[in-house]
Structure formats: C-alpha cells, structure tokens
Amino acid sequence: MAPRKQDVALKRSVLNLRSPVKLRRSSAVLPSVLTFAVIVASGGLLLMIEKGLLNSVDTPPPRGNGKKADYLRPARHHSPTVDTESQILQDIRNRTISTVCGQKNMPHSVWSLNPLQRKTVLQHILVNDEHKFLYCYVPKVACSNWKRVLKVLSGALESVNVKIKMDHKSDLLFLSDLKPEEIRLRLKHYFKFLFVRDPMERLLSAYRNKFGEIEAYQKKYGMEIVKRYRKNPGKSAGDDVTFAEFVRYLLDEDVERMNEHWMPIYNLCQPCAVSYDFIGSYERLQTDASYVLQRVQAPPHVQFPERQTWYKPVTPQTLQYYLCSLPQRLLTELLPKYILDFSLFSYPLPNTTSQLCRH
C-alpha cells in the first residue's frame, strides 16, 4: 500500500529537523534540549512513522491555494523578563511548527480548514479587544484561570480570586461570535497565544477529574464506557471507569469529534492554521503567564491566580504508574492520536520500558 500524503509529508518534516541544533550547554537549557532530542533527533517520531503507527492520524485536508503562509515568527516578542530556557523552548517549537506546517497538505489559514475543524478552533479562541489579544483555551491546561483573567480585564469580574463557580461561556467573547471580516482582522493584528501540556499528563488529569469527581461525565461518558468495554458491567454508575477502559474508548474516537477535555491540542487550536505569537507551558505556568500579561499590557493589579491549595497535581510518579499499568498495546495505539502534540510542542514520548516500570 502506498504511503498516505500526510505521512510522507510529516516524515520529510522530521528528516528536515534532524540536523543538530547549536546551543550552549547549561543547566538552564538542558531540559529543553533533551526534550527536543528525544522527539526529533533520536528519530522516535520517525520510527513511529516508519512502523506505520501514524496511519490512524487524521491531518487536515490540502489547502485551497498556493500562497505561502506566515508562520510563527521566532523570538518576535522576546523581552528581558523571558529567561534563556523559555526563549530556547519557544525557538524549538517555532522551528518545529514552521517546518511541519510548511507541508502542502497542512492548513495555512482557518479558512482552509474543513467546517468542523474551523468551528472547533473558532469556538476555542477567546477575544479581548481592549488589549488586542486572542487566547486559544485548552481544557486541563489552566484554562479556567485564564478565563478568570479575561473576565477581570473586561470588567465582568472584580478579581481573579473571587470565590465563584466558573461559568465558561458567559461574559466571554469567542472568535466564533464574530463575522468573517472581524475574525480576519483580529487574526492578522492581535497578539495570539495558547498554553500546552504534556499530552499524557493532560489525559490523566482529565480522566481523574471527570470520572472521579464530575457526576455529569460519569453518567454521560462513564456508563457508556463501562457498558462498551467491560464484560460484566453490572450496575456501574460510571464512577469506576478504569484508565485502560478510558484509553480503549479514546482509541475508538475520531479526534475531530472528541470531547474538548481529551481532544488533542492540535485539533483544538490548529497551530498550522493560526500563527500563534507565544506558546506557554503548563510546566512553567506562572512564569509564562506573567510574561503574557506583561506583553498585552494588563494592569499591574491583574495577576495570574495561584494554584488552589485543594488542587492535586499529576506528578511524574503518578503518571508513570498509570502508563505502566496499561497493556503496552493500548499505549502503542494511543500515542499516534496525540503525536502532533508531542512533536510540535516538544514533549518526550513516555518511557514505559519493563525495567523502568518495575521501579
């Protein structure tokens, strides 16, 4: 069987990225360099392509015109407050995204997306006209706190620390609320950013939150998952979904129709179709958030909220435990669905070797 066009294009992208990056050795930049090396230089992504593991990845259709898009501009808005490691990580992401998104079969604007893809991304980009920025929110990547910030900036909320249940729709302006010409104007001239997170850590966070704490998700998704994948479902209320059952459910889902809490970031925010100026990291949340607020000239009293004391973060040890508990076949089949999140945003593929899992 002849390789699909998107597989060939992505393979060429990885080959183009395998040239060594000249960076100074220091403890500050080492994590970024190692991350980039694991994903690209080591050929991990290339190996998955060659073994056919990306056959289930659905990439957007070919663009409709031959114009060259203006992708992420590397280091366009660096400032002294952004440390060296952050700058290097941004440059790595910019270079990777520019190369992968430069392929002919990738979208180069929101208008070259199919209707479902366009609807998804426009419904996830929030607008602030006063400070002229666009924010693509990603569930399980501190999006509730960012929505609080936007509500404070618009005057709908007095403070980011007000103790109220977050309404994720009211008092917020989305690109999907605007007319096409208004969308084009903001995409061209506004500062655009999003925040990303390790794909598997984000999945585990969604699993523990939605099936362990949210009754609506237990009834809507949990009961169906148990019924579909458990031999003897009994009278499960959907609150006892195992991580393996959740993964099996994800494997049967179309990435473009997934619930937003586990839809890949690529499909939510379309970084090939939208030229983001800054991609922040959940792992550097406070530092990167402070930079964004400074960049959009937010008032000094508007600070990104501190993490709540009750919040239980996903630790590396917890993530390793869950991934090691999965049958290797399930993990192998799951990774291709999120491979663009791993590669574009410079996250290492999980290590679940038998030696590591024994420890």
Side-chain angles (χ1 to χ4, degrees), residues 284-318:
R284 299 172 46 84
L285 183 57
Q286 288 296 331
T287 301
D288 286 352
S290 295
Y291 166 71
V292 170
L293 291 174
Q294 179 190 43
R295 171 63 184 78
V296 302
Q297 298 182 342
H301 70 275
V302 180
Q303 300 292 325
F304 195 78
E306 294 287 342
R307 178 177 290 169
Q308 299 293 330
T309 55
W310 51 261
Y311 179 74
K312 296 180 180 179
V314 175
T315 66
Q317 294 77 17
T318 303

Side-chain angles (χ1 to χ4, degrees), residues 56-58 120-121 124 136-139 141 194-200 202-203 250 253-271 334-342 344-345:
S56 62
V57 176
D58 294 319
T120 297
V121 67
H124 282 82
C136 185
Y137 81 87
V138 178
V141 191
L194 76 152
F195 273 69
V196 298
R197 186 178 186 179
D198 178 279
M200 294 298 102
R202 176 172 169 253
L203 275 188
L250 294 177
E253 284 287 284
D254 177 356
V255 292
E256 292 185 1
R257 299 181 184 278
M258 283 182 172
N259 179 280
E260 63 175 10
H261 290 85
W262 42 81
M263 182 182 285
I265 298 173
Y266 174 87
N267 298 85
L268 286 172
C269 294
Q270 295 289 348
L334 179 66
L335 291 179
K337 281 187 176 283
Y338 297 88
I339 197 62
L340 288 176
D341 284 3
F342 280 109
L344 294 182
F345 306 129

Side-chain angles (χ1 to χ4, degrees), residues 223 226-238 240 245:
M223 294 177 69
V226 170
K227 181 180 178 181
R228 190 188 303 182
Y229 301 106
R230 192 175 298 177
K231 290 184 178 180
N232 299 304
K235 296 182 179 180
S236 172
D240 59 346
E245 290 170 339

